[in-house]
Amino acid sequence: MKSYAPKILTFTPSKKFSYQDMEDQIAKYTLNGWKIISMTHFQGYQPVYTVLLQYEFSEQEMQENAENRA
């Protein structure tokens, strides 16, 4: 049985916002094993970027988590 953990990242442009910061933040997750499931860009008064990430737990990680809870 596989187990997954979802994560949603939201980026809203502001004076401090840069696309490089957004890419760096996403890269941190992908380098740690997270997979990008989808990325959306909503254009309106302020554009919003939403990234859906998913992490798949290995059997070993699931066993370690179960042992830590017990």
Side-chain angles (χ1 to χ4, degrees):
M1 183 171 112
K2 294 185 179 184
S3 183
Y4 299 94
K7 180 162 252 355
I8 298 173
L9 304 177
T10 304
F11 302 95
T12 304
S14 65
K15 292 179 182 179
K16 297 179 182 178
F17 174 83
S18 77
Y19 290 98
Q20 186 64 47
D21 293 339
M22 180 176 75
E23 290 176 6
D24 290 346
Q25 185 73 19
I26 295 169
K28 287 179 190 176
Y29 284 97
T30 57
L31 291 173
N32 288 325
W34 290 81
K35 293 181 182 176
I36 297 173
I37 302 302
S38 70
M39 182 173 184
T40 58
H41 172 231
F42 297 105
Q43 185 67 42
Y45 175 71
Q46 267 191 328
V48 176
Y49 296 88
T50 304
V51 182
L52 175 60
L53 302 169
Q54 176 177 289
Y55 183 80
E56 181 180 331
F57 291 99
S58 67
E59 292 291 329
Q60 182 181 0
E61 288 174 314
M62 288 174 51
Q63 287 177 346
E64 289 173 2
N65 287 340
E67 290 170 3
N68 289 338
R69 283 188 236 145

